[in-house]
Amino acid sequence: MTSFDSSPQIGVWRALLALAVVFVMLSTTGWTALRSQPSDSALEASRSAWRHGFLDGRLLPDPDQAPARLARFFAALTAPERNSLAHTYPLAVGNMNGAPVRLRYRANRIALGQAAAVEAERMHDPRLTADGQREAGRRMHRFEAMAGGGRQILAFDPEGSGRAAEVFGDLTSAARVSVVVPGVDTDLLTFERTVSKYRAPVGMAQALYAAERAVSPRTGTAVIAWADYTAPAGLGIESATAMRAEDGAVRLNALLRALPGKAPVSLFCHSYGSVVCGVAAHAMPARVADIAVAGSPGMRVEKASHLHTSARVWAMRDADDWIQDVPYLELGGLGHGEDPVSVGFGARRLAAKQARGHAGYFEPGTDSLRNFAEIGTGAYRSVVCADDDTACRAGLSATTTAGRA
């Protein structure tokens, strides 16, 4: 930041601008955006049925137990017993941290098929408007696509706008694991796109997985497109506060604690996803080696050291990204703190040349994606720093596939 940026005058101006933005948000979206989502859902019904279920006369374990204890429960079962549970309680098993990942994939295929059947009926429900019937059709096609083609759906919840997570690669044997955490307007209908493919979570993860294999073919990697939190809808009050991020942080850390194996994990957090990662950082397991943010509105702290994490913190922003015009401050719970690419924040600043606007950091052929791939494979000495200097590589070894440099 320049001295002008940090002067008291500009600080007052930014505070006033932030208040103006808040008033616009209130006038266009209202405080109703803060209402909580309904808790009565198909997933909760499946979890409730599990809690009252039995296997060979024994009550099933609490689905909220520690993942390690649930993993031991499943490990003691026969393959037919595990498959029976997946068919009887597909949503519960498909979203259960601690269940074997391949069993979760199987359970979620069943749950997706059931959800698609529900939407097929809704398409012809006369009680719905024409728009409602069309949306049911879109959801049906999305669920059918997610259920087919050998896709590895790690989490799925059809309630409301929906949540999901998908794995690319072999999660159980990977030497490195990457997790893509997206931002606003992420739901089941925007989880993947045909047009602007690499601006949706599935496309982001696919691009990162391909780039990691290209830069380090011998490193076995897995990439998770993680949209398993309720993201803010649009640029309203929800996106200006940490409410959605706080819930998302709990869910993100639950995923991280349940990942199989001991491979180092790198997080790639885009836009509001960086707020989620910032809130989650202090409670992340030690295997999280990197937190890389792109197009960030802030991480809810003034300095990277305030995240209280041993993970390396990386930040990048494209010169054409409009997020740079958002006031970087926190006032009365609104706003997300300091700019992560500012020198004073203390992150390792990465080049983002050729990235395309706010949503183009995962486009193939960009410096931003290449930098992400180098981080995801542990090739830290190969990353390109912002401003063509070497500061972001200070103190790092040539490659680190386990632990931290």
Side-chain angles (χ1 to χ4, degrees), residues 74-87 103 106:
F74 282 102
L77 303 180
T78 65
E81 287 173 332
R82 288 192 290 269
N83 289 334
S84 175
L85 291 175
H87 280 83
L103 187 66
R106 191 175 306 126

Side-chain angles (χ1 to χ4, degrees), residues 260-284:
K262 298 181 180 179
V265 177
S266 298
L267 302 181
F268 300 93
C269 318
H270 175 245
S271 192
Y272 189 85
S274 66
V275 185
V276 177
C277 291
V279 175
H282 74 281
M284 287 178 181

